[in-house]
Amino acid sequence: MARLNCPFCWESTTVKELARRCPDECGEEVDTPLSEFNGMSRPGLRRPLAFTADQAQKDGRCPHGRQAPLTRICPHCHNDLEYDYVRTAASSRPIALIGASGSGKSVYVGVLVRELKTRVGTKFNGMAVEFVGDQSRAHYDEVFRVPLFQDNQTLRMTDSLRVSRRLRPLLFSLRIPIRRLRGSRLALAMMVFLDTSGEDVLAAKAMDRLARYLDAAAGIVLIVDPLQMPDVREAVETTVYPTSSTRQIDVVERLGALLREQRGLSPTQRIDKPLAVVLSKIDTLDTVLPDQSALRRQADHDGGYDEADGQLVHDEVRAWIHRWYGEGLINTIDSAFTTSRYFGISALGAPPRSEGHLDPSGIRPLRVEDPLLWLLSRFGFVPRAKGKR
Amino acid sequence: MSETPWSLDRTRFQREVLRPVSRGWDPTSNLFRTYLLPPRVADTASIEAAIGGVLAAINQQENSGAYGVAAKVVKRGHQKAAALLRDDVLRSGHRDAVLAARRPLRTALEHDLRDLPAAPPALVDSLVSRFGHAFTGTEVREVVTELGRVVREPARLGEDLEPPADYHKARAELALLDTRSLRAYLLDRFTVLAPSDRQLEDRRLELRRAVNDEALTAEQRVLAKVRTWTRDGQLAGLLAAELRAELLTQAPFGFDAVRRAAADPPVAAALAAWGMPTAADDVAYAAMCLARFPASAGSSWRAAVERAVAARDPRTAVSLLDAQTRLQPAEEKQRDRLRAQIADVNARLEQARELEATDPEGALAEYQRIARISAEPEIDQAMRRCRPAPPGSVTVRARGEGAVIRWTPSTARTGAITYRVLRVPGEVHGSRGQVRPDTDAAVEIALDVDGGEYLDADPPAGQPLFYSVFTLREGQPSHTPATSAEPVVLLPDARDVVLRGGADFVAGSWRLPRGASGARVLRSRPGAATTPVATEPTGFRDRAVEPDVPYTYRIQALYRNHAGGELAGGELASGELASGGVEATAGTRVQPRPVEDLVAGAEAGALTITWTPPPRGTVEVRQFDSTPELRTGAVLPVLSVQDAGTRVVTTAPATDGELHAPVPASGRQYWLVPLTVLDGLAAVGTPHRVDTRLPPVRGLRAQRLGGESVRLTWQWPGEAPEVLVGWKRGAAPSGPGDPDASFRRYTRATYQQDGVDLRLPPGSHTFLVCATARVRGREVYGSPAVAQEGVRRRISYDVRRTGGRWGGRGGGLRLVVESLDGAPPPDVVLVAGSRLPPLDAADGESVLTLASPADQATTRVEAGFTLDALRHLARPLKLRVFPASRSSGAVELIPANPGNLEIR
């Protein structure tokens, strides 16, 4: 029986093991698992009784004999699970996104979703991007769409709304039509975005929810902020200081260790989960990048992932990271992961004009879809194309 | 004869008896006088009354009267006198003796009153005095009566109206007019004796327009004097004096002659105008009394003598004194003195006359000295005879369009000396074509000029002119003038000469002076002969010019040779005369080129105006609040457009092709027009409309994202629903209607959602973005933003295997570099990196350098290479190509096959 991971606690379970709740008429009681999930020191959240399948009556009624809602909940954390997620999680490809604080993860997610729903989707036979559940839709609107695309503002890290949403995953699915010799089918990739930070990674322990999240992911996107590299800050003459003192190499090392530990791998064994190392904010490198830099060009992923272009970008970004960061980060990544590719993206297209305000010209992302398309091509969801030169 | 009862007239007794007795008269010589009885008295009562009355009177006088001695003398002969008077025989005998003694008196009266109807009282007094009081006034009156006359005071003929002192000068002027009197002149010219100011002015203007001669000049002076006398109220007195004088001239011919003259209607009218008696008898009687008895003019002869002396008329004074029978010693001395004075004057006059022939100035001076003593009529005549000498030589020199006439002063020194200048045209005489003054055509151009110079400001041009100058003394001209020896022909140059250069021509214009018949233009340049240029009377257009060569043009005004023949100064073959000429230099003028691609866009809080600078000249940008009336492409004089529109205010120094101005206020539209200014010309460029009714687009940025993708980003303009995006290779679109540009519309939603990524072939494009909306049914565009993508060359390169295993031993590699823009590829270098690609030309190992081909038509270069020298590098090798130098500009080197760039 196919197993799935709860997108909240990332515990593995089966569909059959999923719990349900009694109807409201049955009354509420303190839901300890849910309270613990939400970080409450003393259980206090009251919900209708959660019951598993073996606790249900034969016809599926709740233990109190009443007709129970069809909503499934995680048997571990008692969070509600969206129907689509339950139905597709077994065949989906969760993609995890991590990076140091201030590296641009949230902006990347907010812009990536919009790009996938618009420009990128048109190049892939009508790729459809949908939020899984109203909570995710509301989550996206409140945390990403309104600030970025309506108010033209940056995402504040200390925003209380984001803090409140921090524990809840943002779920959206990519439905990609795949043509076969005999008809076509839909491939589904599930993006699960948890607002984690590099500090969270460093602090995570094995069997922690984050470790389970990362282990459950089919691919990992690691956001690397070039402005956190002293040589880059000097080259671009910026006075912006890094928002995080966490060394990115430490994050990668800990990530590898967590995953090996989660999977019971030896230190010499490499993780076969594909890792997309994404150099963010390349718009700040305009004075550094040469005219012929591949990072100045938009990839032409017309119906497929442009492998040649991707290779060029990979080589160049590796070279830049090597120049700015030394061999340490590259070697750490190469020794931890069997498959990795380097990317360069700009989610905004231009640096924020001021604290909290984006460039008035709007958001014009560059290459934000490259990491995801590479992963999807790895999954076989999108073909690899040579691309035009 | 009726007898009047005798009564004692004490005043008469005193005057006619006592006073004369006191002076030695014998009272017994005429007892009728003594006893105040008529000689033919026969009335006893009157006789007795007279005897008694006289006795009483003398008794009174004897006792207390002023004439006591005289009374005693009369009394002493009273008895005898009484007895005689009482006796008819004795009285008759005494009467005969008395009447016989009156015979001289009667004779005198008969003479004096010969044709007069009466005797003036002054005559009675004069006779009494003349006969030494031998007769009384009564006796004279008795004789007047016996002669059938009466004693009557004559009428006055304006003797109290004094003529003006300068009348005698006017007499000289009137003589030149062949007029005997001012009265006759006034009646003849104006038909009235008191012409109005208007009449005088009209006549004066008539004289100004007439040809000048001596008579005209004289009449001008007379008119001036008449005006003065009229103003001063002296004209009536003058005319009355004239009339009196006229009548008196008839007096020698007797009363009837005077009477006839007085009966002349104009005379009567004149007398009536002055309030004088008009009856001819009365006028004649008064005139005869004036003539025959000067003392009878209302004042005594002594007063007349005094007036004559005051008037410096010793002759009249002497005449009056001579007419008296008895003069006082002082009067005799006065007469002697006046006679001596007259003798002296006569002698001096004689000397002056003689001096006239040799020294007229000296003679005139003497006449003036004489005139201070005696106002001799001859002196006026002498003034007319002794004309001033003419000036010395006369020279004429042209000055501008006029002529300066100079002359040496006349030797005349007496009186007020001035000059009269005439312009005399020349006429040709004889077969040799000599030019002489045509004095008949002379025109007075100046009168009463002081000094020795005069400017004829506007003489006729092109004809020979002489100038004559007369000396004037007190208005009397010299007999002859001084005339310039040689004629002068004034040939003023053309005025307001203007030359201007066109693209392939030089044009000129001017104004011809009055009298010029045309113009001649000569063109010259260094090293070339002078060439005539075809010309119109007031302009020319010379197209036979080379560009950028300065030419000198001489513009000469032409004049017909009125005099004919040859004149000094050079006559043209056409027979015309040419002025000296005005020279000016000009050449073709490079036309300024209009700006055709001016655009304006709001950027960073300022309006940025850009254009392609023209090859020559400076560009001014003018703002118009309405559609400019300047025609696009027109080349106009700078002065004609200096007030066109308003100059755009800049917020930052303008650079070549770029100008920064304040952001325009919203809600209006205006036009920006570039003017290319060069050498005084302005070329009108294509206007650009700035429409702020829609918000401007700001922050436009064009970014080529490799290959054929160009991304445009900008700040969405306010609440505009749509924008128009335009692009064109090279220069910016001139506006939304540029036919050479491509356009596309975007809504705000599509822009925010999809952005704008245009697929454009490689090349440098310029983009224009502006808000657009429909306002009142018309498409309106806001202030655009313009951006140009950086020019970046696209060069493709590939590394190809040439036999053997790919990159391995036994095989070779070949680098192929090909430009995609049709120009030769730049110098490039192939660099190898170990495991990581080189990031620039200095990052890694240089493998191969390919030079740019010399042939500009070559777009592909290639060369073989090996990696044998890089064996020390760990594989895989990453190969990349970079520009060999930064001078190549922005170059995008694109690997055609990225997979070939990794050598394992």
Side-chain angles (χ1 to χ4, degrees):
Chain A
M1 182 174 292
R3 298 187 70 81
L4 59 91
N5 290 89
C6 169
F8 294 91
C9 65
W10 290 100
E11 291 284 355
S12 178
T13 186
T14 63
V15 174
K16 195 173 183 180
E17 291 173 347
L18 295 178
R20 296 166 62 190
R21 288 193 185 277
C22 288
D24 294 338
E25 302 87 281
C26 296
E28 294 182 343
E29 60 185 41
V30 175
D31 191 329
T32 301
L34 187 62
S35 298
E36 289 178 355
F37 174 80
N38 284 286
M40 300 177 72
S41 58
R42 292 176 60 185
L45 291 175
R46 297 180 67 81
R47 292 286 186 279
L49 176 71
F51 63 95
T52 59
D54 54 356
Q55 292 172 332
Q57 292 183 4
K58 287 185 179 179
D59 54 358
R61 288 175 179 267
C62 75
H64 302 102
R66 294 188 176 88
Q67 196 70 29
L70 298 176
T71 303
R72 297 294 193 275
I73 64 173
C74 173
H76 302 285
C77 64
H78 285 191
N79 276 290
D80 291 350
L81 299 177
E82 296 290 337
Y83 175 80
D84 285 344
Y85 181 80
V86 172
R87 295 289 300 172
T88 61
S91 61
S92 66
R93 298 287 192 276
I95 298 176
L97 180 65
I98 59 172
S101 297
S103 60
K105 301 187 303 299
S106 302
V107 174
Y108 174 66
V109 169
V111 173
L112 175 63
V113 170
R114 204 272 302 263
E115 290 292 291
L116 291 175
K117 289 171 74 67
T118 57
R119 182 178 58 83
V120 178
T122 59
K123 296 183 179 181
F124 287 89
N125 296 323
M127 175 196 296
V129 178
E130 299 174 358
F131 292 103
V132 180
D134 293 337
Q135 286 197 2
S136 289
R137 187 177 300 106
H139 183 176
Y140 180 79
D141 283 346
E142 288 179 11
V143 177
F144 301 101
R145 187 185 65 81
V146 170
L148 289 175
F149 301 103
Q150 184 169 302
D151 299 338
N152 213 41
Q153 293 179 352
T154 59
L155 303 179
R156 296 192 296 273
M157 291 175 55
T158 59
D159 191 289
S160 60
L161 188 64
R162 290 186 59 194
V163 171
S164 67
R165 291 281 189 182
R166 188 166 179 275
L167 298 176
R168 307 196 70 79
L170 176 65
L171 304 174
F172 57 93
S173 64
L174 298 171
R175 298 177 190 278
I176 307 167
I178 300 177
R179 287 199 175 85
R180 292 286 184 261
L181 290 176
R182 297 177 181 177
S184 62
R185 67 177 182 86
L186 279 179
L188 177 68
M190 185 70 67
M191 290 287 292
V192 181
F193 173 63
L194 277 179
D195 193 359
T196 60
S197 66
E199 292 75 12
D200 293 336
V201 172
L202 292 177
K205 295 181 175 53
M207 305 314 290
D208 282 350
R209 180 177 58 170
L210 177 59
R212 293 194 294 274
Y213 163 64
L214 293 173
D215 182 60
I220 299 174
V221 177
L222 172 66
I223 304 296
V224 176
D225 183 0
L227 295 182
Q228 293 187 7
M229 305 174 189
D231 288 351
V232 175
R233 289 204 303 276
E234 181 178 346
V236 301
E237 298 179 351
T238 179
T239 58
V240 175
Y241 287 93
T243 57
S244 171
S245 61
T246 304
R247 294 199 311 159
Q248 291 171 119
I249 191 173
D250 294 337
V251 172
V252 175
E253 288 177 352
R254 184 56 186 157
L255 175 63
L258 270 177
L259 290 174
R260 283 194 295 273
E261 190 172 346
Q262 195 73 10
R263 294 191 167 207
L265 299 175
S266 68
T268 59
Q269 286 180 294
R270 294 193 292 177
I271 302 159
D272 61 357
K273 201 179 296 296
L275 176 68
V277 182
V278 180
L279 189 67
S280 63
K281 307 177 185 177
I282 61 172
D283 53 276
T284 61
L285 307 179
D286 187 63
T287 58
V288 176
L289 299 176
D291 292 332
Q292 63 265 22
S293 169
L295 296 178
R296 291 187 177 277
R297 299 193 293 269
Q298 184 79 299
D300 187 18
H301 304 298
D302 189 8
Y305 174 69
D306 189 342
E307 175 62 30
D309 173 81
Q311 188 65 44
L312 284 173
V313 172
H314 166 78
D315 285 343
E316 182 173 346
V317 173
R318 275 172 63 89
W320 285 117
I321 291 177
H322 181 270
R323 173 177 286 190
W324 295 329
Y325 210 78
E327 295 181 343
L329 181 61
I330 295 174
N331 290 340
T332 298
I333 291 171
D334 288 347
S335 63
F337 292 86
T338 57
T339 305
S340 62
R341 179 158 282 195
Y342 291 77
F343 301 89
I345 63 112
S346 173
L348 298 179
R353 183 63 58 89
S354 63
E355 183 70 26
H357 291 89
L358 302 179
D359 187 278
S361 298
I363 295 174
R364 293 291 165 259
L366 182 65
R367 289 185 176 275
V368 292
E369 68 275 20
D370 288 4
L372 180 62
L373 291 178
W374 174 70
L375 289 172
L376 293 177
S377 71
R378 296 284 305 172
F379 303 154
F381 287 4
V382 298
R384 294 185 185 187
K386 186 176 182 180
K388 295 180 183 177
R389 292 288 175 272
Chain B
M1 180 168 77
S2 63
E3 295 283 350
T4 305
W6 188 95
S7 63
L8 178 65
D9 186 347
R10 294 185 182 277
T11 305
R12 177 185 172 195
F13 183 71
Q14 192 172 15
R15 183 179 69 241
E16 295 181 357
V17 178
L18 293 178
R19 191 182 298 164
V21 170
S22 66
R23 294 177 181 171
W25 180 65
D26 182 8
T28 62
S29 62
N30 185 351
L31 292 176
F32 297 104
R33 170 178 173 181
T34 302
Y35 288 95
L36 305 180
L37 291 169
R40 289 184 173 80
V41 62
D43 176 43
T44 304
S46 297
I47 293 172
E48 292 297 330
I51 293 171
V54 167
L55 181 63
I58 57 177
N59 286 335
Q60 186 181 18
Q61 282 292 327
E62 181 184 22
N63 294 324
S64 60
Y67 298 99
V69 176
K72 287 180 177 169
V73 171
V74 172
K75 187 176 180 180
R76 193 171 50 241
H78 176 74
Q79 291 292 328
K80 192 176 183 178
L84 191 147
L85 291 173
R86 287 188 181 113
D87 187 298
D88 294 338
V89 172
L90 292 175
R91 190 176 65 251
S92 175
H94 186 69
R95 183 179 60 246
D96 294 339
V98 168
L99 293 176
R102 285 185 179 181
R103 201 168 285 121
L105 174 62
R106 184 181 181 94
T107 303
L109 274 171
E110 287 176 345
H111 174 267
D112 288 343
L113 300 179
R114 54 187 178 276
D115 56 357
L116 297 180
L123 179 61
V124 174
D125 294 337
S126 174
L127 287 171
V128 168
S129 176
R130 191 189 304 173
F131 283 101
H133 297 274
F135 305 101
T136 65
T138 303
E139 289 180 88
V140 172
R141 292 176 186 272
E142 291 175 353
V143 174
V144 168
T145 303
E146 291 174 2
L147 295 175
R149 309 295 202 281
V150 295
V151 175
R152 180 158 56 96
E153 188 77 39
R156 296 192 63 79
L157 296 180
E159 294 85 343
D160 55 347
L161 299 175
E162 293 294 334
D166 55 348
Y167 171 61
H168 69 282
K169 289 186 179 179
R171 293 299 304 274
E173 310 296 340
L174 292 170
L176 294 174
L177 298 177
D178 292 330
T179 303
R180 63 181 185 279
S181 69
L182 179 65
R183 184 174 63 81
Y185 167 74
L186 294 175
L187 290 175
D188 180 56
R189 187 66 65 193
F190 303 105
T191 69
V192 293
L193 291 177
S196 64
D197 282 349
R198 179 64 181 273
Q199 288 176 300
L200 294 174
E201 180 63 18
D202 288 345
R203 179 58 187 167
R204 187 184 73 80
L205 292 176
E206 280 181 41
L207 295 177
R208 280 193 67 181
R209 291 189 287 270
V211 178
N212 260 348
D213 58 13
E214 196 175 36
L216 185 144
T217 305
E219 187 177 355
Q220 287 177 328
R221 296 199 187 94
V222 168
L223 284 175
K225 286 187 169 61
V226 168
R227 177 171 285 178
T228 302
W229 294 331
T230 303
R231 182 191 65 213
D232 296 341
Q234 294 175 315
L235 182 63
L238 186 152
L239 294 173
E242 263 192 352
L243 181 60
R244 288 199 304 274
E246 280 185 30
L247 294 175
L248 291 178
T249 58
Q250 299 299 314
F253 302 100
F255 178 84
D256 288 336
V258 178
R259 185 180 180 284
R260 282 194 296 276
D264 194 15
V267 173
L271 292 171
W274 302 324
M276 297 178 192
T278 58
D281 288 343
D282 294 339
V283 174
Y285 173 64
M288 290 300 294
C289 288
L290 278 175
R292 197 170 290 172
F293 316 118
S296 67
S299 57
S300 68
W301 61 271
R302 290 188 176 85
V305 169
E306 290 174 7
R307 286 197 300 272
V309 171
R312 300 195 312 279
D313 188 1
R315 301 179 192 280
T316 301
V318 166
S319 173
L320 289 170
L321 290 168
D322 286 341
Q324 309 308 313
T325 54
R326 185 177 290 183
L327 292 174
Q328 299 296 322
E331 294 165 349
E332 290 179 350
K333 289 181 181 176
Q334 183 185 34
R335 185 184 58 187
D336 295 340
R337 191 168 57 249
L338 290 172
R339 284 177 178 163
Q341 190 178 63
I342 292 170
D344 177 61
V345 166
N346 290 338
R348 293 172 69 176
L349 286 173
E350 181 64 28
Q351 291 175 355
R353 276 188 229 105
E354 293 177 358
L355 197 59
E356 283 182 22
T358 57
D359 184 9
E361 293 298 317
L364 268 180
E366 180 63 13
Y367 282 125
Q368 283 195 332
R369 286 190 289 272
I370 296 170
R372 296 192 198 101
I373 303 170
S374 176
E376 300 292 326
E378 182 178 343
I379 293 177
D380 287 338
Q381 299 167 5
M383 293 283 284
R384 282 195 288 275
R385 288 195 306 274
C386 298
R387 300 294 183 90
S393 61
V394 175
T395 59
V396 183
R397 181 174 58 83
R399 179 193 291 178
E401 296 177 5
V404 176
I405 305 100
R406 288 202 177 97
W407 58 89
T408 53
S410 165
T411 55
R413 57 187 180 278
T414 304
I417 302 298
T418 56
Y419 299 91
R420 176 181 175 223
V421 183
L422 294 90
R423 184 194 308 132
V424 186
E427 61 178 359
V428 179
H429 289 270
S431 59
R432 296 179 64 183
Q434 282 186 313
V435 180
R436 297 183 202 165
D438 182 5
T439 54
D440 292 336
V443 175
E444 179 182 284
I445 62 172
L447 186 64
D448 286 333
V449 176
D450 291 325
E453 180 176 300
Y454 182 77
L455 171 66
D456 187 1
D458 190 22
Q463 52 180 290
L465 298 175
F466 295 85
Y467 287 86
S468 295
V469 182
F470 286 86
T471 305
L472 300 177
R473 188 207 324 269
E474 304 288 342
Q476 293 295 329
S478 53
H479 286 294
T480 59
T483 302
S484 54
E486 295 296 330
V488 61
V489 180
L490 298 173
L491 303 172
D493 279 316
R495 306 167 191 164
D496 303 330
V497 175
V498 175
L499 296 186
R500 67 178 179 86
D504 59 353
F505 65 88
V506 175
S509 64
W510 55 83
R511 289 193 303 118
L512 289 177
R514 184 168 61 91
S517 60
R520 181 176 77 157
V521 178
L522 300 174
R523 180 190 68 218
S524 63
R525 60 178 282 195
T530 300
T531 309
V533 177
T535 180
E536 298 295 323
T538 58
F540 73 90
R541 182 177 286 254
D542 184 7
R543 293 192 179 276
V545 292
E546 296 175 17
D548 295 329
V549 173
Y551 292 88
T552 299
Y553 292 86
R554 176 185 292 268
I555 297 93
Q556 298 174 295
L558 298 178
Y559 299 87
R560 291 193 183 86
N561 190 351
H562 292 277
E566 289 189 0
L567 288 174
E571 185 183 48
L572 303 178
S574 61
E576 294 175 303
L577 299 173
S579 67
V582 175
E583 278 193 352
T585 302
T588 57
R589 175 179 289 176
V590 176
Q591 300 277 0
R593 190 179 298 176
V595 170
E596 299 175 344
D597 61 349
L598 181 140
V599 290
E603 287 289 343
L607 184 69
T608 300
I609 305 168
T610 58
W611 64 89
T612 302
R616 294 179 64 177
T618 58
V619 176
E620 297 179 7
V621 181
R622 302 284 178 87
Q623 177 176 322
F624 295 80
D625 291 335
S626 60
T627 305
E629 294 183 351
L630 299 175
R631 183 174 60 84
T632 301
V635 179
L636 305 170
V638 169
L639 292 179
S640 68
V641 297
Q642 65 178 359
D643 295 328
T646 56
R647 194 170 294 208
V648 172
V649 176
T650 62
T651 59
T655 60
D656 203 11
E658 187 170 300
L659 185 66
H660 297 275
V663 176
S666 60
R668 54 186 286 250
Q669 62 172 348
Y670 56 89
W671 285 258
L672 298 176
V673 178
L675 300 178
T676 307
V677 179
L678 175 66
D679 290 341
L681 294 176
V684 181
T686 305
H688 175 84
R689 187 173 67 175
V690 177
D691 197 326
T692 62
R693 291 175 294 181
L694 291 174
V697 171
R698 294 192 171 93
L700 177 63
R701 185 176 172 217
Q703 184 182 13
R704 184 168 285 272
L705 300 178
E708 297 184 346
S709 179
V710 176
R711 170 171 290 179
L712 300 180
T713 58
W714 64 83
Q715 298 179 33
W716 191 265
E719 299 301 321
E722 267 191 350
V723 298
L724 183 69
V725 175
W727 62 91
K728 192 164 74 173
R729 185 187 291 270
S734 59
D738 187 344
D740 297 326
S742 302
F743 294 93
R744 197 175 292 172
R745 293 174 179 272
Y746 293 88
T747 63
R748 183 171 195 157
T750 55
Y751 175 73
Q752 287 181 336
Q753 181 169 296
D754 302 328
V756 176
D757 288 341
L758 300 175
R759 295 193 68 83
L760 297 174
S764 177
H765 292 79
T766 306
F767 302 87
L768 176 147
V769 179
C770 62
T772 180
R774 292 193 70 82
V775 177
R776 298 192 194 95
R778 294 183 62 185
E779 197 75 26
V780 176
Y781 302 97
S783 179
V786 175
Q788 186 177 35
E789 62 168 323
V791 177
R792 187 183 298 178
R793 296 197 61 191
R794 300 191 76 233
I795 309 295
S796 173
Y797 68 93
D798 195 12
V799 174
R800 298 174 184 174
R801 172 173 169 246
T802 59
R805 197 160 62 88
W806 175 254
R809 293 192 182 89
L813 296 169
R814 195 163 188 82
L815 174 65
V816 180
V817 178
E818 185 174 7
S819 69
L820 303 178
D821 54 11
D827 298 342
V828 297
V829 58
L830 178 65
V831 182
S834 174
R835 295 190 294 184
L836 291 173
L839 294 174
D840 52 58
D843 185 23
E845 300 276 349
S846 176
V847 177
L848 171 68
T849 300
L850 273 181
S852 176
D855 183 3
Q856 296 297 309
T858 301
T859 61
R860 176 190 170 109
V861 293
E862 57 183 276
F865 66 97
T866 64
L867 298 175
D868 294 341
L870 301 180
R871 293 180 188 280
H872 62 283
L873 294 179
R875 300 298 177 97
L877 295 177
K878 303 279 187 177
L879 302 176
R880 294 289 188 273
V881 172
F882 299 97
S885 66
R886 293 191 178 186
S887 62
S888 303
V891 178
E892 185 180 359
L893 286 153
I894 305 162
N897 295 292
N900 293 348
L901 300 181
E902 181 172 299
I903 309 298
R904 290 189 176 273

